Every structure is written in C-alpha cells, then in structure tokens.
Amino acid sequence: TAALIWNEIIREKITNFIMNQSKEQRILNFVLQNAVRGDPCSVLDTIDKYCSQKEWAMNVGNEKGLILDKTVEEVQPSVALELGTYCGYSTVRIARLLKAGAHLLTVEFNPKFAAIAKQIIEFAGVQDKVKLLEGPSEEIIPQLKKKYEVDTLDFVFLDHWKDRYAPDTILLQECNLLRKGSVLLADNVIFPGAPEFLNYIRNNPRFQCTNYLSHLEYMETEDAMEKAVFLG
C-alpha cells in the first residue's frame, strides 16, 4: 500500500508537474517511440517494460495477463466486453487473440484515458476488432442490446472500479446479456480487493467460480483473478 501511495500519488504528481503531462501520456509516448507499429505483442512488451522499470501503472500486467490470455483462448469469444480500458493494455491483449469476425467492446469512464487507449489500440493494429465506448458502465451496459446490437456476451473482463464489479454483474444478468457458458474474469480481487463481488458470485448457484492466485501488476504484492462461469 505504501509503495502504491508513493507511485500513484506522490511520485506521479511530482513527475506530472515537472513534465507537464500525465503518466498515461508518457506511457503512450514510450510506446510510439519504442514499439513496432502493427505488432500487438511489441506494444504489450513495451508497456510492461515502462511500467516495471519507470512508472507503475494499473494495467493487468504480464503475469496476470497470461491468465487472461489462457481464459480468452479457452472461451474463443465472438463477442467480448471489457469494463475498464485505461490505456488499452488489456484491450490489445484480448483483441490480439480474437478469431476472425469476433469483436471486443471496451468501456472507459475517463475521457483522457479513452483518448490515450484509442491511440495505443490503433498503433497495435487491433482497432478493427475493438469498439471503445466512453461513459459509466452502469449507463452503457443497458444500451448494449439495442444501441450496439449485442445479443449475448461470451466473455466479460472486469477491471474497472472494484465497487462496480458486483452491481455490474447483476446488471449484465438483468439485461439478459449472459448466456449459459458466458465467462466472467475479474482482476484485482485481493488487491485492492472486490469482497462484495466475491461474496456475490461465490454464493450464487448460477456461477461456477475458480480463483487464480497471482501478484499485483509489476509488484510482489499478492493478488488474484476470479473466473466465474455463468450456468444459466
């Protein structure tokens, strides 16, 4: 926690003031200068390098990214939803694994993050598979069927506000966006933690849960991801 406070609040604010730009802009600039355009893996490796060596950032990271990869490869989604785009790291990670004709809808509340993510997604060359939606998840989820022509979701990655995990999971069900076999994967369920979400899905007979122990991105702090299969 102390390390995060130092990285996220004190150090970042000082650097932002000195450089007159945000950390997210610095990540984008590092990608544009060092990654290979049109190569998603190069983009991911470059972001990992920056965030592990220069400034910590809340991407899913490479260790938990492998759990995300494995889940996407198992599900082979035609329609996927990501809640929390941030700089587009996990968006690129998911999109690069999608089969032909599949697409990913990614939701970001912060317009500044969305603008950065859009450029990283395009630089990685996966923009044809991704639709970035700006706004609060609780407003966008009810619009998915009519406005964005989504029938049901095969895969959902939750990586936004932790206190939104449980209500948005409930909202996905109320909007009939989950089908039998839909898979939810939630990041950061230990740190910073999503206790309400874990309590909800683990005690719900409509979900079959698996916990994957790991570490907080770019740190040795214990963290985990939770997979929940919707049983219908």
Side-chain angles (χ1 to χ4, degrees):
T1 304
L4 275 182
I5 290 170
W6 165 250
N7 280 301
E8 279 289 88
I9 300 172
I10 303 167
R11 181 184 171 190
E12 185 179 330
K13 284 190 175 178
I14 293 168
T15 312
N16 290 356
F17 178 76
I18 292 169
M19 300 188 71
N20 194 31
Q21 63 176 193
S22 69
K23 175 176 65 180
E24 292 73 29
Q25 184 67 50
R26 292 191 288 278
I27 291 171
L28 170 64
N29 291 344
F30 192 76
V31 167
L32 298 180
Q33 291 163 14
N34 296 281
V36 178
R37 177 180 287 276
D39 183 342
C41 292
S42 172
V43 170
L44 296 174
D45 289 344
T46 303
I47 295 174
D48 283 332
K49 183 178 179 181
Y50 187 89
C51 296
S52 59
Q53 297 178 9
K54 297 178 181 291
E55 288 185 274
W56 184 90
M58 56 183 181
N59 310 305
V60 70
N62 190 49
E63 186 185 358
K64 288 186 292 182
L66 295 175
I67 300 168
L68 175 60
D69 289 355
K70 185 171 181 287
T71 308
V72 172
E73 287 168 343
E74 285 173 357
V75 177
Q76 286 287 298
S78 294
V79 185
L81 173 69
E82 175 184 43
L83 300 176
T85 316
Y86 187 43
C87 290
Y89 176 94
S90 50
T91 312
V92 171
R93 193 145 199 141
I94 295 167
R96 84 192 204 287
L97 298 174
L98 294 180
K99 58 192 176 186
H103 64 282
L104 168 66
L105 298 155
T106 182
V107 179
E108 178 52 56
F109 175 75
N110 185 318
K112 291 180 180 177
F113 293 167
I116 298 283
K118 199 169 288 185
Q119 293 179 73
I120 286 179
I121 290 163
E122 288 175 359
F123 188 85
V126 295
Q127 69 274 14
D128 291 347
K129 293 181 176 181
V130 177
K131 190 173 190 68
L132 199 158
L133 311 176
E134 286 185 47
S137 55
E138 63 268 31
E139 290 182 13
I140 290 176
I141 289 170
Q143 299 176 344
L144 289 177
K145 277 191 181 284
K146 285 190 176 178
K147 190 172 180 180
Y148 300 105
E149 298 178 341
V150 173
D151 181 17
T152 55
L153 299 160
D154 304 310
F155 175 70
V156 181
F157 183 49
L158 297 97
D159 196 19
H160 56 331
W161 296 106
K162 310 313 160 194
D163 60 0
R164 287 300 318 168
Y165 281 20
D168 283 347
T169 298
I170 293 166
L171 193 55
L172 288 167
Q173 293 172 79
E174 289 174 347
C175 295
N176 296 313
L177 285 159
L178 301 183
R179 56 159 179 82
K180 185 178 181 180
S182 292
V183 173
L184 278 62
L185 184 69
D187 191 18
N188 303 121
V189 296
I190 289 181
F191 195 98
E196 185 189 356
F197 170 75
L198 291 182
N199 183 59
Y200 173 73
I201 56 162
R202 288 178 179 177
N203 293 291
N204 190 326
R206 302 186 79 184
F207 288 99
Q208 183 178 31
C209 301
T210 309
N211 186 263
Y212 298 101
L213 282 173
S214 188
H215 298 90
L216 183 66
E217 46 270 25
Y218 317 116
M219 288 193 178
E220 293 181 7
T221 306
E222 188 177 277
D223 195 12
M225 302 179 93
E226 187 86 0
K227 183 173 86 170
V229 181
F230 188 63
L231 303 176

